[in-house]
Coordinates of all heavy atoms in Angstrom, one line a residue:
M1 N 106.5 -75.8 -14.1 CA 106.1 -74.5 -14.4 C 105.5 -73.7 -13.3 O 105.6 -72.5 -13.2 CB 105.0 -74.6 -15.5 CG 105.5 -74.7 -17.0 SD 106.9 -75.7 -17.4 CE 106.1 -77.3 -17.4
D2 N 104.9 -74.5 -12.3 CA 104.4 -73.8 -11.1 C 105.4 -73.0 -10.4 O 105.2 -71.9 -10.0 CB 103.8 -74.8 -10.2 CG 102.5 -75.5 -10.8 OD1 101.9 -74.9 -11.7 OD2 102.1 -76.5 -10.3
D3 N 106.7 -73.5 -10.3 CA 107.7 -72.8 -9.6 C 108.1 -71.5 -10.3 O 108.4 -70.5 -9.7 CB 109.0 -73.7 -9.5 CG 108.8 -74.9 -8.6 OD1 107.9 -74.8 -7.7 OD2 109.6 -75.8 -8.7
V4 N 108.1 -71.5 -11.7 CA 108.4 -70.3 -12.4 C 107.4 -69.3 -12.2 O 107.7 -68.1 -12.0 CB 108.6 -70.7 -13.9 CG1 108.9 -69.4 -14.7 CG2 109.7 -71.6 -14.1
I5 N 106.1 -69.7 -12.3 CA 105.0 -68.7 -12.1 C 105.0 -68.2 -10.7 O 104.9 -67.0 -10.4 CB 103.7 -69.4 -12.4 CG1 103.6 -69.9 -13.8 CG2 102.5 -68.5 -12.0 CD1 103.6 -68.8 -14.9
T6 N 105.3 -69.1 -9.7 CA 105.3 -68.6 -8.3 C 106.5 -67.6 -8.1 O 106.3 -66.6 -7.4 CB 105.5 -69.9 -7.3 OG1 104.4 -70.7 -7.5 CG2 105.6 -69.5 -5.9
L7 N 107.7 -68.0 -8.6 CA 108.8 -67.0 -8.5 C 108.5 -65.7 -9.1 O 108.8 -64.6 -8.6 CB 110.0 -67.7 -9.1 CG 111.3 -66.8 -9.0 CD1 111.7 -66.7 -7.6 CD2 112.4 -67.5 -9.8
G8 N 107.8 -65.7 -10.3 CA 107.5 -64.4 -10.9 C 106.5 -63.6 -10.1 O 106.7 -62.4 -9.9
K9 N 105.5 -64.3 -9.5 CA 104.6 -63.6 -8.6 C 105.3 -63.0 -7.4 O 105.0 -61.9 -7.0 CB 103.4 -64.5 -8.2 CG 102.5 -64.8 -9.3 CD 101.4 -65.8 -8.9 CE 100.4 -66.1 -10.0 NZ 99.4 -67.1 -9.5
R10 N 106.2 -63.8 -6.9 CA 107.0 -63.3 -5.7 C 107.8 -62.1 -6.0 O 107.9 -61.1 -5.2 CB 107.8 -64.4 -5.1 CG 108.5 -64.1 -3.9 CD 109.2 -65.3 -3.3 NE 110.0 -64.9 -2.2 CZ 110.8 -65.7 -1.5 NH1 110.9 -67.0 -1.9 NH2 111.5 -65.3 -0.5
A11 N 108.5 -62.1 -7.2 CA 109.3 -61.0 -7.6 C 108.4 -59.7 -7.8 O 108.8 -58.6 -7.4 CB 110.0 -61.3 -8.9
L12 N 107.3 -59.9 -8.4 CA 106.4 -58.7 -8.6 C 105.9 -58.2 -7.2 O 105.8 -57.0 -7.1 CB 105.2 -59.2 -9.5 CG 105.5 -59.4 -10.9 CD1 104.3 -60.0 -11.6 CD2 106.0 -58.2 -11.6
A13 N 105.6 -59.1 -6.3 CA 105.1 -58.7 -5.0 C 106.2 -57.9 -4.2 O 105.9 -56.9 -3.5 CB 104.6 -59.9 -4.2
E14 N 107.4 -58.3 -4.4 CA 108.5 -57.6 -3.6 C 108.8 -56.2 -4.2 O 109.2 -55.4 -3.4 CB 109.8 -58.5 -3.7 CG 109.8 -59.7 -2.9 CD 111.0 -60.5 -3.0 OE1 112.0 -60.1 -3.5 OE2 111.0 -61.7 -2.4
H15 N 108.5 -56.0 -5.4 CA 108.8 -54.7 -6.0 C 107.6 -53.8 -6.0 O 107.7 -52.6 -6.3 CB 109.3 -54.9 -7.5 CG 110.7 -55.4 -7.6 ND1 111.8 -54.6 -7.4 CD2 111.1 -56.7 -7.9 CE1 112.9 -55.4 -7.5 NE2 112.5 -56.6 -7.8
G16 N 106.4 -54.3 -5.7 CA 105.3 -53.5 -5.6 C 104.8 -52.9 -6.9 O 105.1 -53.5 -8.0
P17 N 104.0 -51.8 -6.8 CA 103.4 -51.3 -8.1 C 104.3 -50.7 -9.1 O 104.0 -50.6 -10.2 CB 102.4 -50.2 -7.5 CG 103.0 -49.8 -6.2 CD 103.7 -51.0 -5.7
H18 N 105.6 -50.5 -8.7 CA 106.5 -49.9 -9.6 C 107.5 -51.0 -10.1 O 108.7 -50.7 -10.4 CB 107.3 -48.8 -8.9 CG 106.4 -47.7 -8.5 ND1 105.7 -46.8 -9.4 CD2 106.0 -47.3 -7.2 CE1 105.0 -46.0 -8.7 NE2 105.1 -46.2 -7.4
S19 N 107.0 -52.2 -10.2 CA 107.9 -53.3 -10.6 C 108.3 -53.2 -12.0 O 107.5 -52.8 -12.9 CB 107.1 -54.6 -10.4 OG 107.8 -55.7 -10.9
P20 N 109.6 -53.5 -12.4 CA 110.0 -53.5 -13.8 C 109.3 -54.6 -14.5 O 108.7 -55.5 -13.9 CB 111.5 -53.7 -13.7 CG 111.7 -54.4 -12.4 CD 110.6 -53.9 -11.5
P21 N 109.2 -54.5 -15.9 CA 108.6 -55.6 -16.6 C 109.3 -57.0 -16.3 O 110.5 -57.0 -16.1 CB 108.9 -55.2 -18.1 CG 109.4 -53.8 -18.1 CD 109.8 -53.5 -16.7
L22 N 108.5 -58.0 -16.4 CA 109.0 -59.3 -16.0 C 109.2 -60.1 -17.3 O 108.3 -60.3 -18.2 CB 108.0 -60.0 -15.1 CG 108.4 -61.4 -14.6 CD1 109.6 -61.3 -13.7 CD2 107.2 -62.0 -13.9
F23 N 110.4 -60.7 -17.5 CA 110.7 -61.5 -18.6 C 111.2 -62.9 -18.0 O 111.7 -63.0 -17.0 CB 111.9 -60.9 -19.4 CG 111.5 -59.8 -20.2 CD1 111.4 -58.5 -19.7 CD2 111.1 -59.9 -21.6 CE1 111.0 -57.4 -20.4 CE2 110.7 -58.8 -22.3 CZ 110.7 -57.6 -21.7
I24 N 110.9 -63.9 -18.8 CA 111.4 -65.3 -18.5 C 112.6 -65.6 -19.4 O 112.5 -65.4 -20.6 CB 110.3 -66.3 -18.7 CG1 109.1 -66.1 -17.7 CG2 110.8 -67.7 -18.5 CD1 107.9 -66.9 -17.9
L25 N 113.7 -66.1 -18.8 CA 114.9 -66.5 -19.5 C 115.1 -68.0 -19.3 O 115.0 -68.5 -18.2 CB 116.1 -65.7 -18.9 CG 117.4 -66.1 -19.4 CD1 117.6 -65.8 -20.9 CD2 118.5 -65.4 -18.6
G26 N 115.3 -68.7 -20.4 CA 115.6 -70.1 -20.4 C 116.5 -70.6 -21.5 O 116.5 -70.1 -22.6
H27 N 117.4 -71.5 -21.1 CA 118.3 -72.1 -22.1 C 118.2 -73.6 -22.1 O 118.1 -74.2 -21.1 CB 119.8 -71.7 -21.8 CG 120.8 -72.4 -22.6 ND1 121.0 -72.1 -23.9 CD2 121.6 -73.5 -22.3 CE1 121.9 -72.9 -24.4 NE2 122.3 -73.7 -23.5
S28 N 118.2 -74.2 -23.3 CA 118.1 -75.7 -23.5 C 116.8 -76.2 -22.9 O 115.7 -75.8 -23.2 CB 119.4 -76.3 -23.0 OG 119.4 -77.7 -23.4
M29 N 116.9 -77.1 -21.9 CA 115.7 -77.6 -21.2 C 115.0 -76.5 -20.5 O 113.8 -76.5 -20.4 CB 116.1 -78.8 -20.3 CG 114.9 -79.5 -19.7 SD 113.8 -80.2 -20.9 CE 114.7 -81.7 -21.3
G30 N 115.8 -75.6 -20.0 CA 115.1 -74.4 -19.3 C 114.4 -73.6 -20.3 O 113.4 -72.9 -20.0
G31 N 114.8 -73.6 -21.6 CA 114.1 -72.9 -22.7 C 112.7 -73.5 -22.9 O 111.7 -72.8 -23.1
L32 N 112.6 -74.9 -22.8 CA 111.3 -75.6 -22.9 C 110.4 -75.2 -21.7 O 109.2 -74.9 -21.9 CB 111.6 -77.1 -23.0 CG 110.3 -77.9 -23.2 CD1 109.6 -77.6 -24.4 CD2 110.7 -79.4 -23.2
V33 N 111.0 -75.3 -20.5 CA 110.2 -74.9 -19.3 C 109.8 -73.4 -19.4 O 108.6 -73.1 -19.2 CB 111.1 -75.1 -18.1 CG1 110.4 -74.6 -16.8 CG2 111.4 -76.6 -17.9
G34 N 110.7 -72.6 -19.9 CA 110.4 -71.1 -20.0 C 109.2 -70.9 -21.1 O 108.4 -70.1 -20.9
L35 N 109.3 -71.7 -22.1 CA 108.2 -71.6 -23.1 C 106.9 -71.9 -22.6 O 105.9 -71.2 -22.7 CB 108.5 -72.5 -24.3 CG 107.5 -72.5 -25.5 CD1 107.4 -71.1 -26.1 CD2 107.9 -73.5 -26.5
H36 N 106.8 -73.0 -21.8 CA 105.5 -73.4 -21.2 C 105.1 -72.4 -20.1 O 103.9 -72.1 -20.1 CB 105.6 -74.8 -20.6 CG 105.6 -75.9 -21.6 ND1 104.5 -76.3 -22.4 CD2 106.6 -76.7 -22.1 CE1 104.8 -77.2 -23.2 NE2 106.1 -77.5 -23.1
A37 N 106.0 -71.9 -19.4 CA 105.7 -70.9 -18.3 C 105.2 -69.6 -19.0 O 104.3 -69.0 -18.5 CB 106.9 -70.7 -17.5
A38 N 105.9 -69.3 -20.1 CA 105.4 -68.1 -20.8 C 104.0 -68.2 -21.4 O 103.3 -67.2 -21.4 CB 106.4 -67.8 -22.0
Q39 N 103.7 -69.4 -21.9 CA 102.3 -69.6 -22.4 C 101.3 -69.4 -21.2 O 100.3 -68.7 -21.4 CB 102.2 -71.0 -22.9 CG 102.8 -71.2 -24.3 CD 102.7 -72.6 -24.8 OE1 102.8 -73.6 -24.0 NE2 102.4 -72.8 -26.0
R40 N 101.6 -70.0 -20.1 CA 100.7 -69.8 -18.9 C 100.7 -68.3 -18.5 O 99.6 -67.8 -18.2 CB 101.2 -70.7 -17.8 CG 100.8 -72.1 -18.0 CD 101.2 -73.0 -16.9 NE 100.8 -72.6 -15.6 CZ 101.1 -73.1 -14.4 NH1 101.9 -74.2 -14.4 NH2 100.6 -72.7 -13.3
A41 N 101.8 -67.7 -18.4 CA 101.9 -66.3 -18.0 C 101.1 -65.4 -18.9 O 100.4 -64.5 -18.5 CB 103.4 -65.9 -17.9
S42 N 101.2 -65.7 -20.2 CA 100.5 -64.8 -21.2 C 98.9 -65.0 -21.1 O 98.2 -64.2 -21.6 CB 100.9 -65.1 -22.6 OG 100.6 -66.4 -23.0
L43 N 98.5 -66.1 -20.5 CA 97.1 -66.4 -20.3 C 96.5 -65.7 -19.0 O 95.4 -65.9 -18.7 CB 96.8 -67.9 -20.2 CG 97.1 -68.6 -21.5 CD1 96.9 -70.1 -21.3 CD2 96.2 -68.1 -22.7
G44 N 97.4 -64.9 -18.4 CA 96.9 -64.1 -17.2 C 97.4 -64.7 -15.9 O 97.0 -64.1 -14.9
E45 N 98.1 -65.8 -15.9 CA 98.6 -66.3 -14.6 C 99.7 -65.4 -13.9 O 99.9 -65.6 -12.7 CB 99.0 -67.7 -14.7 CG 97.9 -68.7 -14.9 CD 98.4 -70.2 -14.8 OE1 99.1 -70.5 -13.8 OE2 98.1 -70.9 -15.7
L46 N 100.3 -64.6 -14.7 CA 101.4 -63.8 -14.2 C 101.3 -62.4 -14.7 O 101.8 -62.0 -15.7 CB 102.7 -64.4 -14.7 CG 104.0 -63.8 -14.0 CD1 104.0 -63.9 -12.5 CD2 105.2 -64.6 -14.5
P47 N 100.6 -61.5 -13.9 CA 100.5 -60.1 -14.3 C 101.8 -59.4 -14.3 O 102.7 -59.8 -13.5 CB 99.5 -59.5 -13.3 CG 99.4 -60.5 -12.2 CD 99.9 -61.8 -12.7
G48 N 102.1 -58.6 -15.3 CA 103.4 -58.0 -15.4 C 104.3 -58.7 -16.3 O 105.4 -58.2 -16.6
F49 N 103.9 -59.9 -16.8 CA 104.8 -60.6 -17.7 C 104.8 -59.9 -19.1 O 103.8 -59.5 -19.6 CB 104.2 -62.0 -17.9 CG 104.9 -62.8 -19.0 CD1 106.2 -63.3 -18.9 CD2 104.2 -63.0 -20.2 CE1 106.8 -64.0 -19.9 CE2 104.8 -63.8 -21.2 CZ 106.1 -64.2 -21.1
R50 N 106.0 -59.7 -19.6 CA 106.2 -58.9 -20.9 C 106.8 -59.7 -22.0 O 106.7 -59.4 -23.1 CB 107.0 -57.7 -20.7 CG 106.3 -56.6 -19.8 CD 105.0 -56.1 -20.4 NE 104.4 -55.2 -19.6 CZ 103.3 -55.5 -18.8 NH1 102.8 -56.7 -18.9 NH2 102.7 -54.6 -18.1
G51 N 107.4 -60.9 -21.7 CA 108.0 -61.6 -22.8 C 109.0 -62.7 -22.3 O 109.2 -62.9 -21.1
A52 N 109.6 -63.4 -23.2 CA 110.5 -64.5 -22.9 C 111.7 -64.5 -23.8 O 111.6 -64.1 -24.9 CB 109.8 -65.9 -23.1
V53 N 112.9 -64.8 -23.2 CA 114.1 -64.9 -23.9 C 114.5 -66.3 -23.9 O 114.9 -66.8 -22.8 CB 115.2 -64.0 -23.3 CG1 116.5 -64.1 -24.1 CG2 114.7 -62.5 -23.3
L54 N 114.5 -67.0 -25.0 CA 114.7 -68.5 -25.0 C 116.0 -68.7 -25.9 O 116.0 -68.3 -27.0 CB 113.5 -69.2 -25.6 CG 112.2 -69.0 -24.9 CD1 111.1 -69.7 -25.6 CD2 112.2 -69.3 -23.5
S55 N 117.0 -69.4 -25.3 CA 118.2 -69.7 -26.0 C 118.2 -71.2 -26.2 O 118.3 -72.0 -25.3 CB 119.4 -69.3 -25.1 OG 120.6 -69.8 -25.6
A56 N 118.2 -71.6 -27.5 CA 118.2 -73.0 -27.8 C 117.2 -73.9 -27.1 O 117.6 -74.9 -26.4 CB 119.7 -73.6 -27.7
P57 N 116.0 -73.5 -27.1 CA 115.0 -74.3 -26.4 C 114.9 -75.8 -26.9 O 115.1 -76.0 -28.1 CB 113.7 -73.6 -26.6 CG 113.8 -72.8 -27.8 CD 115.3 -72.5 -27.9
A58 N 114.7 -76.7 -26.0 CA 114.7 -78.1 -26.3 C 113.3 -78.4 -27.0 O 112.4 -78.9 -26.4 CB 114.9 -79.0 -25.1
L59 N 113.3 -78.2 -28.3 CA 112.0 -78.4 -29.1 C 112.3 -79.5 -30.1 O 113.4 -79.6 -30.7 CB 111.6 -77.1 -29.7 CG 111.3 -76.0 -28.8 CD1 110.9 -74.7 -29.7 CD2 110.1 -76.3 -27.9
K60 N 111.3 -80.3 -30.4 CA 111.5 -81.3 -31.5 C 111.0 -80.7 -32.8 O 109.9 -80.1 -32.9 CB 110.6 -82.5 -31.1 CG 110.8 -83.7 -32.1 CD 110.0 -84.8 -31.6 CE 110.1 -86.0 -32.6 NZ 109.4 -87.2 -32.2
S61 N 111.8 -80.9 -33.8 CA 111.4 -80.3 -35.1 C 110.4 -81.2 -35.8 O 110.3 -82.4 -35.5 CB 112.7 -80.2 -36.0 OG 113.2 -81.5 -36.3
D62 N 109.7 -80.7 -36.7 CA 108.7 -81.4 -37.5 C 109.3 -82.1 -38.7 O 109.8 -81.4 -39.6 CB 107.5 -80.5 -37.9 CG 106.4 -81.2 -38.7 OD1 106.4 -82.4 -38.7 OD2 105.6 -80.4 -39.3
R63 N 109.4 -83.4 -38.7 CA 110.1 -84.1 -39.7 C 109.3 -83.9 -41.1 O 109.9 -84.0 -42.1 CB 110.1 -85.6 -39.4 CG 111.1 -86.0 -38.4 CD 112.5 -86.0 -38.9 NE 113.5 -86.3 -37.9 CZ 114.5 -87.2 -38.1 NH1 114.6 -87.8 -39.3 NH2 115.4 -87.3 -37.2
K64 N 108.1 -83.7 -41.0 CA 107.3 -83.5 -42.3 C 107.7 -82.2 -43.0 O 107.6 -82.2 -44.2 CB 105.8 -83.5 -42.0 CG 105.3 -84.8 -41.5 CD 103.8 -84.8 -41.1 CE 103.3 -86.1 -40.5 NZ 102.0 -86.0 -40.1
S65 N 108.1 -81.2 -42.3 CA 108.5 -80.0 -43.0 C 110.0 -79.9 -43.3 O 110.4 -78.9 -43.9 CB 108.1 -78.8 -42.1 OG 108.8 -78.8 -40.9
T66 N 110.8 -80.9 -42.9 CA 112.2 -80.9 -43.2 C 112.4 -82.0 -44.3 O 112.0 -83.1 -44.2 CB 113.0 -81.3 -42.0 OG1 112.6 -80.5 -40.9 CG2 114.5 -81.2 -42.2
S67 N 113.2 -81.5 -45.4 CA 113.4 -82.4 -46.5 C 114.4 -83.5 -46.1 O 115.2 -83.4 -45.2 CB 114.0 -81.7 -47.7 OG 115.3 -81.2 -47.4
A68 N 114.3 -84.7 -46.8 CA 115.2 -85.8 -46.5 C 116.6 -85.4 -46.8 O 117.5 -85.8 -46.1 CB 114.8 -87.0 -47.4
F69 N 116.8 -84.6 -47.8 CA 118.2 -84.1 -48.1 C 118.8 -83.3 -46.9 O 119.9 -83.5 -46.6 CB 118.2 -83.2 -49.4 CG 119.5 -82.6 -49.7 CD1 120.5 -83.4 -50.3 CD2 119.8 -81.3 -49.6 CE1 121.7 -82.9 -50.6 CE2 121.0 -80.8 -49.9 CZ 122.0 -81.6 -50.4
A70 N 118.0 -82.4 -46.4 CA 118.5 -81.6 -45.2 C 118.8 -82.5 -44.0 O 119.8 -82.2 -43.3 CB 117.4 -80.5 -44.9
I71 N 118.0 -83.5 -43.8 CA 118.3 -84.4 -42.7 C 119.6 -85.2 -42.9 O 120.4 -85.3 -42.0 CB 117.1 -85.4 -42.5 CG1 115.9 -84.6 -42.0 CG2 117.5 -86.5 -41.5 CD1 114.6 -85.4 -42.0
K72 N 119.8 -85.6 -44.2 CA 121.1 -86.4 -44.5 C 122.3 -85.4 -44.4 O 123.3 -85.9 -43.8 CB 121.0 -86.9 -45.9 CG 120.1 -88.1 -46.0 CD 120.0 -88.7 -47.4 CE 119.0 -89.8 -47.5 NZ 118.9 -90.4 -48.8
I73 N 122.2 -84.2 -44.8 CA 123.3 -83.3 -44.7 C 123.6 -83.0 -43.2 O 124.7 -82.9 -42.8 CB 123.0 -81.9 -45.5 CG1 123.0 -82.2 -47.0 CG2 123.9 -80.8 -45.1 CD1 124.3 -82.6 -47.5
G74 N 122.5 -82.8 -42.4 CA 122.7 -82.5 -41.0 C 123.4 -83.7 -40.3 O 124.3 -83.5 -39.5
K75 N 123.0 -84.9 -40.6 CA 123.6 -86.1 -40.0 C 125.1 -86.2 -40.4 O 126.0 -86.5 -39.6 CB 122.9 -87.4 -40.4 CG 121.6 -87.5 -39.7 CD 120.9 -88.8 -40.1 CE 119.5 -88.9 -39.3 NZ 118.9 -90.2 -39.7
F76 N 125.4 -85.9 -41.7 CA 126.8 -85.9 -42.2 C 127.6 -84.9 -41.5 O 128.7 -85.2 -41.0 CB 126.8 -85.7 -43.7 CG 128.2 -85.5 -44.3 CD1 129.0 -86.6 -44.5 CD2 128.7 -84.2 -44.5 CE1 130.3 -86.4 -45.0 CE2 130.0 -84.0 -45.0 CZ 130.8 -85.1 -45.2
L77 N 127.1 -83.6 -41.4 CA 127.8 -82.6 -40.8 C 128.1 -82.8 -39.3 O 129.2 -82.6 -38.8 CB 127.1 -81.2 -41.0 CG 127.1 -80.7 -42.4 CD1 126.2 -79.4 -42.5 CD2 128.5 -80.4 -42.9
S78 N 127.1 -83.4 -38.6 CA 127.2 -83.6 -37.2 C 128.2 -84.8 -36.9 O 128.9 -84.8 -35.9 CB 125.9 -83.9 -36.5 OG 125.4 -85.2 -37.0
A79 N 128.4 -85.7 -37.9 CA 129.3 -86.8 -37.7 C 130.7 -86.4 -38.0 O 131.7 -86.7 -37.3 CB 128.9 -88.0 -38.6
W80 N 130.9 -85.6 -39.1 CA 132.2 -85.2 -39.6 C 132.7 -83.9 -39.0 O 133.9 -83.7 -38.9 CB 132.3 -85.2 -41.1 CG 132.2 -86.6 -41.6 CD1 131.1 -87.3 -42.0 CD2 133.3 -87.5 -41.7 NE1 131.5 -88.6 -42.4 CE2 132.8 -88.7 -42.2 CE3 134.7 -87.4 -41.5 CZ2 133.6 -89.8 -42.5 CZ3 135.5 -88.5 -41.7 CH2 135.0 -89.7 -42.2
F81 N 131.8 -83.0 -38.7 CA 132.2 -81.7 -38.2 C 131.4 -81.3 -36.9 O 130.5 -80.4 -37.0 CB 132.0 -80.6 -39.2 CG 132.7 -80.9 -40.5 CD1 132.0 -81.4 -41.6 CD2 134.1 -80.6 -40.6 CE1 132.7 -81.7 -42.8 CE2 134.8 -80.9 -41.8 CZ 134.0 -81.4 -42.9
P82 N 131.5 -82.1 -35.8 CA 130.6 -82.0 -34.7 C 130.6 -80.6 -34.0 O 129.6 -80.2 -33.4 CB 131.1 -83.0 -33.7 CG 132.5 -83.3 -34.1 CD 132.6 -83.0 -35.6
K83 N 131.7 -79.8 -34.2 CA 131.7 -78.5 -33.5 C 131.4 -77.3 -34.4 O 131.5 -76.2 -34.0 CB 133.0 -78.3 -32.8 CG 133.3 -79.3 -31.7 CD 134.5 -79.0 -30.9 CE 134.6 -80.0 -29.8 NZ 135.7 -79.7 -28.9
T84 N 131.1 -77.6 -35.6 CA 130.7 -76.6 -36.6 C 129.3 -76.1 -36.5 O 128.4 -77.0 -36.5 CB 131.0 -77.0 -38.1 OG1 132.4 -77.4 -38.2 CG2 130.7 -75.9 -39.1
A85 N 129.0 -74.8 -36.3 CA 127.7 -74.4 -36.2 C 127.1 -74.2 -37.6 O 127.7 -73.7 -38.5 CB 127.7 -73.0 -35.4
V86 N 125.8 -74.5 -37.7 CA 125.1 -74.3 -39.0 C 123.9 -73.6 -38.6 O 123.0 -74.0 -37.8 CB 124.7 -75.7 -39.6 CG1 123.9 -75.4 -40.9 CG2 125.9 -76.5 -39.9
A87 N 123.7 -72.4 -39.1 CA 122.5 -71.6 -38.8 C 121.8 -71.3 -40.1 O 122.3 -71.0 -41.1 CB 123.0 -70.2 -38.2
F88 N 120.4 -71.3 -40.0 CA 119.6 -71.0 -41.1 C 118.5 -70.1 -40.6 O 117.8 -70.4 -39.7 CB 119.0 -72.3 -41.7 CG 118.0 -72.0 -42.8 CD1 118.4 -71.6 -44.1 CD2 116.6 -72.1 -42.6 CE1 117.5 -71.3 -45.1 CE2 115.7 -71.8 -43.6 CZ 116.1 -71.4 -44.8
L89 N 118.4 -68.9 -41.2 CA 117.4 -68.0 -40.8 C 116.5 -67.7 -42.0 O 116.9 -67.1 -43.0 CB 118.0 -66.7 -40.4 CG 118.8 -66.7 -39.1 CD1 119.5 -65.4 -38.8 CD2 118.0 -67.2 -37.9
P90 N 115.2 -68.2 -42.0 CA 114.4 -68.0 -43.2 C 114.1 -66.5 -43.4 O 113.8 -65.8 -42.4 CB 113.1 -68.8 -42.9 CG 113.1 -68.9 -41.4 CD 114.6 -68.9 -41.0
M91 N 114.1 -66.0 -44.6 CA 113.8 -64.6 -44.8 C 112.4 -64.4 -45.4 O 111.9 -65.1 -46.1 CB 114.8 -64.1 -45.8 CG 116.2 -64.1 -45.3 SD 116.3 -62.9 -44.0 CE 118.0 -62.9 -43.6

């Protein structure tokens, strides 16, 4: 995370007072790194930080909040249809 914060500070220094807003972008394991860096940045370590764009961050789901049925269906689908995307957006 130190490298992400350092890179952000360097980018802000190069652009001076008219720097555009700073966003962190991360995918997969980079999404996890981006999430931790965004937490640090939001605590004031990175002035100018405005947000994070995370694509499929490597996060572990909470088994307690996932039903046994949903886990079984997920395992079945991943075994029989490995390239089929399943998306659920709670409303």
Side-chain angles (χ1 to χ4, degrees):
M1 273 42 80
D2 290 339
D3 291 342
V4 176
I5 299 296
T6 301
L7 181 63
K9 288 179 180 178
R10 185 174 176 185
L12 291 170
E14 287 180 11
H15 288 281
H18 301 292
S19 176
L22 183 64
F23 287 83
I24 295 173
L25 171 67
H27 172 73
S28 192
M29 186 60 76
L32 180 60
V33 171
L35 179 63
H36 286 287
Q39 286 178 320
R40 285 182 50 186
S42 68
L43 294 174
E45 287 191 50
L46 188 56
F49 171 72
R50 295 294 178 260
V53 179
L54 307 176
S55 170
L59 302 175
K60 185 176 180 181
S61 64
D62 181 13
R63 288 282 178 136
K64 294 177 184 176
S65 65
T66 306
S67 71
F69 177 73
I71 292 171
K72 287 181 183 179
I73 290 294
K75 287 181 180 181
F76 171 80
L77 291 173
S78 68
W80 288 95
F81 305 100
K83 294 186 179 186
T84 303
V86 179
F88 176 75
L89 299 175
M91 296 293 184

